[in-house]
Amino acid sequence: MTKLKDRFLKMLKLLITYIFVATLFGCSFSQATTIVAKIGNAGSTTGYHSIRVMNVKDTTGANAGFGYGAVSSYSGKSADIGAIGTPEKITGFWAKYNIEENKFLAFYNINKQIDSELAGLKINALRKYYKSFKTANTSMQLIVDGPRVRLLYTMNCFSKLDDCTPRKNADPNGWIVRSPDDTTEVVVLFDGIGEASDTPFPGSPYDK
């Protein structure tokens, strides 16, 4: 009987400790593990490119790959990226491609941090933007235009099919903009310039 009582008290103490820790750190845990997208697009608004490697790491360390090969339009190719939260870093190799001559014109790479705090605020702003539209069909979009790289986030609300009416004063910071093809709303999580070269970067997928 004494052993059962001791075991019960021990379990009770563990439960109380768990509840205390969860209460104390619950907010940070939920923020760190929030999934914002499971679908990714890779494309371009300036013609043919090749994306061999393009990785986006989120604040938990999870990684999503956008290396979809040849792309030529927005929003480009689509694929399941598993699950990604607020982005924190972007790395990759890509190239400008001439389809008529079947050759690469220039090579690029990038290795930069993303302002994850600002990215998270923008994502939340878009998720709360619409008056009635709700969806799980959200996506991150990686757009390359020469050395320029943009990472966009969208809820994929299309006015021809959905009620995309925004809430009153839904975007006081002006973060929400129209997509490059002017069909829906997006937020820009990253917009940066990579390093450029006329020859493949040593050790890159284009270095043969």
Side-chain angles (χ1 to χ4, degrees), residues 6-18:
D6 291 342
R7 185 179 297 175
F8 173 77
L9 290 173
K10 186 176 181 180
M11 291 178 65
L12 184 61
K13 288 180 180 179
L14 288 172
L15 179 60
I16 293 172
T17 301
Y18 173 80

Side-chain angles (χ1 to χ4, degrees), residues 147-164:
R148 184 186 184 191
V149 183
R150 283 176 288 171
L151 185 66
L152 313 179
Y153 179 75
T154 181
M155 299 287 287
N156 287 308
C157 186
F158 301 101
S159 57
K160 289 184 178 181
L161 304 172
D162 311 301
D163 180 3
C164 302

Side-chain angles (χ1 to χ4, degrees), residues 50-128:
S50 166
I51 308 177
R52 294 275 179 87
V53 175
M54 190 68 73
N55 296 313
V56 175
K57 185 175 73 172
D58 70 14
T59 53
T60 71
N63 190 75
F66 293 81
Y68 298 169
V71 298
S72 61
S73 61
Y74 174 84
S75 59
K77 295 181 178 179
S78 179
D80 187 337
I81 54 174
I84 189 170
T86 305
E88 183 177 61
K89 187 174 184 180
I90 182 169
T91 59
F93 294 94
W94 71 104
K96 179 66 177 173
Y97 182 65
N98 185 318
I99 189 171
E100 288 81 12
E101 298 181 16
N102 190 27
K103 68 177 184 179
F104 297 118
L105 303 177
F107 303 87
Y108 313 100
N109 79 50
I110 196 165
N111 186 342
K112 292 189 177 182
Q113 293 293 127
I114 296 173
D115 186 339
S116 58
E117 183 176 354
L118 180 58
L121 291 173
K122 288 182 175 181
I123 289 169
N124 288 335
L126 184 58
R127 289 165 78 94
K128 297 176 182 178

